[in-house]
mmCIF file of all heavy atoms in Angstrom:
data_model
loop_
_atom_site.group_PDB
_atom_site.id
_atom_site.type_symbol
_atom_site.label_atom_id
_atom_site.label_comp_id
_atom_site.label_asym_id
_atom_site.label_seq_id
_atom_site.Cartn_x
_atom_site.Cartn_y
_atom_site.Cartn_z
ATOM 1 N N VAL A 29 -20.538 -28.799 -13.531
ATOM 2 C CA VAL A 29 -21.391 -28.220 -14.486
ATOM 3 C C VAL A 29 -20.537 -27.402 -15.427
ATOM 4 O O VAL A 29 -19.663 -26.674 -14.946
ATOM 5 C CB VAL A 29 -22.471 -27.345 -13.916
ATOM 6 C CG1 VAL A 29 -23.352 -26.675 -14.915
ATOM 7 C CG2 VAL A 29 -23.396 -28.156 -12.959
ATOM 8 N N TYR A 30 -20.718 -27.537 -16.743
ATOM 9 C CA TYR A 30 -19.978 -26.820 -17.707
ATOM 10 C C TYR A 30 -20.995 -25.836 -18.398
ATOM 11 O O TYR A 30 -22.084 -26.196 -18.814
ATOM 12 C CB TYR A 30 -19.422 -27.744 -18.772
ATOM 13 C CG TYR A 30 -18.272 -28.499 -18.229
ATOM 14 C CD1 TYR A 30 -18.498 -29.674 -17.466
ATOM 15 C CD2 TYR A 30 -16.990 -28.155 -18.428
ATOM 16 C CE1 TYR A 30 -17.481 -30.427 -16.898
ATOM 17 C CE2 TYR A 30 -15.870 -28.886 -17.909
ATOM 18 C CZ TYR A 30 -16.159 -30.024 -17.160
ATOM 19 O OH TYR A 30 -15.136 -30.773 -16.641
ATOM 20 N N LEU A 31 -20.483 -24.586 -18.521
ATOM 21 C CA LEU A 31 -21.382 -23.502 -19.055
ATOM 22 C C LEU A 31 -21.133 -23.266 -20.527
ATOM 23 O O LEU A 31 -19.961 -23.482 -20.968
ATOM 24 C CB LEU A 31 -21.118 -22.223 -18.236
ATOM 25 C CG LEU A 31 -21.231 -22.256 -16.764
ATOM 26 C CD1 LEU A 31 -20.916 -20.943 -16.161
ATOM 27 C CD2 LEU A 31 -22.619 -22.763 -16.366
ATOM 28 N N GLU A 32 -22.125 -22.851 -21.194
ATOM 29 C CA GLU A 32 -21.958 -22.514 -22.644
ATOM 30 C C GLU A 32 -21.190 -21.178 -22.694
ATOM 31 O O GLU A 32 -21.471 -20.251 -21.938
ATOM 32 C CB GLU A 32 -23.363 -22.306 -23.281
ATOM 33 C CG GLU A 32 -23.428 -22.548 -24.693
ATOM 34 C CD GLU A 32 -22.960 -21.343 -25.594
ATOM 35 O OE1 GLU A 32 -23.293 -20.200 -25.179
ATOM 36 O OE2 GLU A 32 -22.396 -21.588 -26.533
ATOM 37 N N ASP A 33 -20.130 -21.092 -23.541
ATOM 38 C CA ASP A 33 -19.262 -19.956 -23.583
ATOM 39 C C ASP A 33 -19.962 -18.596 -23.839
ATOM 40 O O ASP A 33 -19.742 -17.591 -23.110
ATOM 41 C CB ASP A 33 -18.175 -20.118 -24.545
ATOM 42 C CG ASP A 33 -17.098 -21.107 -24.133
ATOM 43 O OD1 ASP A 33 -16.953 -21.359 -22.883
ATOM 44 O OD2 ASP A 33 -16.408 -21.641 -24.997
ATOM 45 N N GLN A 34 -20.821 -18.573 -24.829
ATOM 46 C CA GLN A 34 -21.495 -17.315 -25.224
ATOM 47 C C GLN A 34 -22.506 -16.827 -24.168
ATOM 48 O O GLN A 34 -22.559 -15.681 -23.823
ATOM 49 C CB GLN A 34 -22.184 -17.440 -26.573
ATOM 50 C CG GLN A 34 -21.213 -17.115 -27.668
ATOM 51 C CD GLN A 34 -20.468 -18.315 -28.221
ATOM 52 O OE1 GLN A 34 -20.991 -19.474 -28.106
ATOM 53 N NE2 GLN A 34 -19.236 -18.249 -28.647
ATOM 54 N N THR A 35 -23.332 -17.768 -23.719
ATOM 55 C CA THR A 35 -24.461 -17.375 -22.850
ATOM 56 C C THR A 35 -24.171 -17.492 -21.347
ATOM 57 O O THR A 35 -24.839 -16.893 -20.548
ATOM 58 C CB THR A 35 -25.706 -18.222 -23.125
ATOM 59 O OG1 THR A 35 -25.476 -19.608 -22.773
ATOM 60 C CG2 THR A 35 -26.127 -18.172 -24.618
ATOM 61 N N GLY A 36 -23.216 -18.288 -20.992
ATOM 62 C CA GLY A 36 -22.946 -18.531 -19.555
ATOM 63 C C GLY A 36 -23.909 -19.437 -18.914
ATOM 64 O O GLY A 36 -23.938 -19.600 -17.742
ATOM 65 N N GLN A 37 -24.838 -20.024 -19.725
ATOM 66 C CA GLN A 37 -25.870 -20.926 -19.189
ATOM 67 C C GLN A 37 -25.318 -22.341 -19.024
ATOM 68 O O GLN A 37 -24.499 -22.773 -19.806
ATOM 69 C CB GLN A 37 -27.102 -20.894 -20.072
ATOM 70 C CG GLN A 37 -27.732 -19.549 -20.250
ATOM 71 C CD GLN A 37 -28.275 -19.049 -18.958
ATOM 72 O OE1 GLN A 37 -28.994 -19.773 -18.236
ATOM 73 N NE2 GLN A 37 -27.991 -17.792 -18.589
ATOM 74 N N PRO A 38 -25.847 -23.092 -18.013
ATOM 75 C CA PRO A 38 -25.373 -24.498 -17.899
ATOM 76 C C PRO A 38 -25.808 -25.297 -19.103
ATOM 77 O O PRO A 38 -26.895 -25.144 -19.635
ATOM 78 C CB PRO A 38 -26.274 -24.964 -16.688
ATOM 79 C CG PRO A 38 -26.645 -23.746 -15.947
ATOM 80 C CD PRO A 38 -26.801 -22.694 -16.992
ATOM 81 N N GLU A 39 -24.820 -26.037 -19.663
ATOM 82 C CA GLU A 39 -25.087 -26.832 -20.848
ATOM 83 C C GLU A 39 -24.817 -28.351 -20.642
ATOM 84 O O GLU A 39 -25.547 -29.190 -21.184
ATOM 85 C CB GLU A 39 -24.275 -26.355 -21.994
ATOM 86 C CG GLU A 39 -24.582 -26.923 -23.308
ATOM 87 C CD GLU A 39 -24.058 -26.208 -24.474
ATOM 88 O OE1 GLU A 39 -23.135 -25.411 -24.354
ATOM 89 O OE2 GLU A 39 -24.604 -26.368 -25.613
ATOM 90 N N TRP A 40 -23.700 -28.654 -19.946
ATOM 91 C CA TRP A 40 -23.303 -30.012 -19.741
ATOM 92 C C TRP A 40 -23.137 -30.295 -18.262
ATOM 93 O O TRP A 40 -22.631 -29.446 -17.527
ATOM 94 C CB TRP A 40 -22.021 -30.344 -20.467
ATOM 95 C CG TRP A 40 -22.076 -30.106 -21.965
ATOM 96 C CD1 TRP A 40 -21.673 -29.012 -22.620
ATOM 97 C CD2 TRP A 40 -22.644 -30.905 -22.939
ATOM 98 N NE1 TRP A 40 -21.952 -29.163 -23.977
ATOM 99 C CE2 TRP A 40 -22.603 -30.305 -24.165
ATOM 100 C CE3 TRP A 40 -23.363 -32.185 -22.902
ATOM 101 C CZ2 TRP A 40 -23.055 -30.853 -25.387
ATOM 102 C CZ3 TRP A 40 -23.860 -32.768 -24.031
ATOM 103 C CH2 TRP A 40 -23.722 -32.074 -25.288
ATOM 104 N N ILE A 41 -23.446 -31.539 -17.836
ATOM 105 C CA ILE A 41 -23.073 -31.963 -16.519
ATOM 106 C C ILE A 41 -22.103 -33.091 -16.634
ATOM 107 O O ILE A 41 -22.061 -33.849 -17.558
ATOM 108 C CB ILE A 41 -24.294 -32.397 -15.680
ATOM 109 C CG1 ILE A 41 -25.108 -33.516 -16.434
ATOM 110 C CG2 ILE A 41 -25.142 -31.226 -15.304
ATOM 111 C CD1 ILE A 41 -26.271 -34.072 -15.617
ATOM 112 N N LEU A 42 -21.244 -33.243 -15.574
ATOM 113 C CA LEU A 42 -20.293 -34.320 -15.535
ATOM 114 C C LEU A 42 -20.848 -35.259 -14.403
ATOM 115 O O LEU A 42 -21.109 -34.841 -13.285
ATOM 116 C CB LEU A 42 -18.908 -33.822 -15.102
ATOM 117 C CG LEU A 42 -17.771 -34.853 -15.156
ATOM 118 C CD1 LEU A 42 -17.578 -35.357 -16.608
ATOM 119 C CD2 LEU A 42 -16.480 -34.233 -14.645
ATOM 120 N N VAL A 43 -20.983 -36.560 -14.777
ATOM 121 C CA VAL A 43 -21.645 -37.479 -13.893
ATOM 122 C C VAL A 43 -20.583 -38.589 -13.631
ATOM 123 O O VAL A 43 -20.031 -39.173 -14.510
ATOM 124 C CB VAL A 43 -22.888 -38.110 -14.521
ATOM 125 C CG1 VAL A 43 -23.541 -39.151 -13.568
ATOM 126 C CG2 VAL A 43 -23.887 -37.063 -14.976
ATOM 127 N N GLU A 44 -20.396 -38.914 -12.339
ATOM 128 C CA GLU A 44 -19.605 -40.068 -11.944
ATOM 129 C C GLU A 44 -20.403 -41.316 -12.173
ATOM 130 O O GLU A 44 -21.505 -41.457 -11.607
ATOM 131 C CB GLU A 44 -19.134 -40.000 -10.492
ATOM 132 C CG GLU A 44 -18.065 -38.949 -10.231
ATOM 133 C CD GLU A 44 -17.676 -38.948 -8.733
ATOM 134 O OE1 GLU A 44 -18.405 -39.529 -7.916
ATOM 135 O OE2 GLU A 44 -16.635 -38.358 -8.478
ATOM 136 N N THR A 45 -19.942 -42.251 -12.948
ATOM 137 C CA THR A 45 -20.649 -43.475 -13.252
ATOM 138 C C THR A 45 -19.755 -44.683 -12.865
ATOM 139 O O THR A 45 -18.591 -44.424 -12.469
ATOM 140 C CB THR A 45 -21.024 -43.612 -14.707
ATOM 141 O OG1 THR A 45 -19.826 -43.604 -15.517
ATOM 142 C CG2 THR A 45 -21.887 -42.461 -15.210
ATOM 143 N N GLY A 46 -20.293 -45.809 -12.882
ATOM 144 C CA GLY A 46 -19.553 -46.989 -12.509
ATOM 145 C C GLY A 46 -19.782 -47.343 -11.047
ATOM 146 O O GLY A 46 -20.271 -46.545 -10.315
ATOM 147 N N LEU A 47 -19.407 -48.509 -10.717
ATOM 148 C CA LEU A 47 -19.627 -48.968 -9.267
ATOM 149 C C LEU A 47 -19.086 -48.058 -8.277
ATOM 150 O O LEU A 47 -19.772 -47.799 -7.232
ATOM 151 C CB LEU A 47 -18.960 -50.357 -9.179
ATOM 152 C CG LEU A 47 -19.393 -51.124 -7.956
ATOM 153 C CD1 LEU A 47 -20.868 -51.297 -7.797
ATOM 154 C CD2 LEU A 47 -18.736 -52.540 -7.928
#
Side-chain angles (χ1 to χ4, degrees):
V29 175
Y30 290 79
L31 307 179
E32 206 278 324
D33 284 340
Q34 274 87 31
T35 65
Q37 298 298 313
E39 187 166 21
W40 301 100
I41 55 175
L42 188 64
V43 183
E44 285 183 346
T45 61
L47 189 56

